[in-house]
Each structure stands twice: as structure tokens, then as C-alpha cells.
Amino acid sequence: MALLAATIAATGRLHAADPVKTVLITANDQMKYSVTHIDAHPGQPIHVQLKNEGTLPKEVMGHNWVLLKAGFDPMAYATSALPAVKENFEPKALAGQVLASISLLGARHEGEVTFNAPETPGTYFFLCSFPAHCQSGMRGELVVK
Ligand SMILES: [Cu+2]
């Protein structure tokens, strides 16, 4: 009961029924994510692992995973992030648009992030913000319902 009370206190709502959802996404030199659609319940804990299975150098074929808040467009984010080479295409100026992210990965590297799905049902977009990758189809959606 103590744990339950702590959970309610920490989140303001009871999410004990929702287990952590683990999502493994692989990326490769063809600029594709293996997963482009994720379903979740409001507030559900989600653990995303991103594995870059490509072999090309990070400078020409890096991959990241950026999940945007409600109402933000992945193509617009990608375009704005384009000049931010030194910030690995996740500029601080755009941090207010980001719900969760996994930093840029080189070949054979992996990263992970754990976060809670938004409480508000809806569609939230994610993308790889490395230049031209989102435009080439490296994007997807988290649907909360
Ligand atoms: Cu990419």
C-alpha cells in the first residue's frame, strides 16, 4: 500500500495498471526506423531503445530519436534543427518542443530513454533530426488513447 500511495503522490494519478512498455527501434544506413507507430495509454511509462545497426560514420549517417510535444510538426523541427551540427541536431532553442529524446548515435551504437506518455490522448510525432532523414521517412507517431 505504501508503494501505491507513493505512485499516486508522484504522478497525481494511478497508473499502477500500466506496465512499462518497452519499444526496441532499430535504425540503419537506409534511413529507416524499424518502428514507426507506438500505442500507449495516457501516462504509461515507455522505455524506448534505439539501436543503430548501420555501419557508416556518424558524420554522414547518424541517427537520433526525438519525440515532440502535441501540436509540433516533425518536418518543421527537422528544418529548424538542420544548422545545429554542434548540438547534434537537437538545438536548445527547440527544447521546448521535445517530450523525450535519444541523442545522436553512430554506427553500432545504442541509446535509450524512459518517459511517461502524455496524459492527453492524441498523436505525438517522433523523428530523426539528422539532415534529410525525417524528409526521407525517418519519422513516426506515438498514439495515446
Ligand atoms: Cu537518421
Side-chain angles (χ1 to χ4, degrees):
M1 277 317 281
L3 180 64
L4 192 62
T7 303
I8 295 169
T11 63
R13 272 182 61 175
L14 177 60
H15 295 303
D18 283 328
V20 176
K21 177 169 190 145
T22 296
V23 182
L24 172 64
I25 305 176
T26 59
N28 56 34
D29 292 341
Q30 280 70 51
M31 294 180 283
K32 292 280 180 281
Y33 283 140
S34 61
V35 174
T36 56
H37 182 99
I38 302 169
D39 282 314
H41 295 129
Q44 183 172 14
I46 303 177
H47 177 69
V48 174
Q49 295 170 281
L50 177 66
K51 209 172 178 179
N52 181 0
E53 295 185 330
T55 57
L56 293 171
K58 192 178 181 179
E59 295 69 32
V60 296
M61 189 54 74
H63 300 299
N64 63 10
W65 188 84
V66 181
L67 175 66
L68 301 177
K69 291 180 182 172
F72 289 106
D73 173 49
M75 301 294 254
Y77 182 96
T79 301
S80 301
L82 200 58
V85 183
K86 287 188 175 142
E87 294 175 284
N88 287 322
F89 310 104
E90 282 185 78
K92 281 199 179 67
L94 299 180
Q97 301 186 11
V98 178
L99 271 175
S101 71
I102 297 170
S103 300
L104 197 68
L105 302 171
R108 306 290 182 201
H109 279 73
E110 46 187 285
E112 59 186 359
V113 65
T114 302
F115 60 97
N116 287 92
E119 294 288 349
T120 309
T123 299
Y124 301 79
F125 297 104
F126 59 82
L127 71 141
C128 173
S129 63
F130 193 89
H133 288 197
C134 178
Q135 290 82 347
S136 303
M138 212 168 177
R139 58 183 189 267
E141 60 191 15
L142 165 70
V143 176
V144 177
K145 60 187 173 196

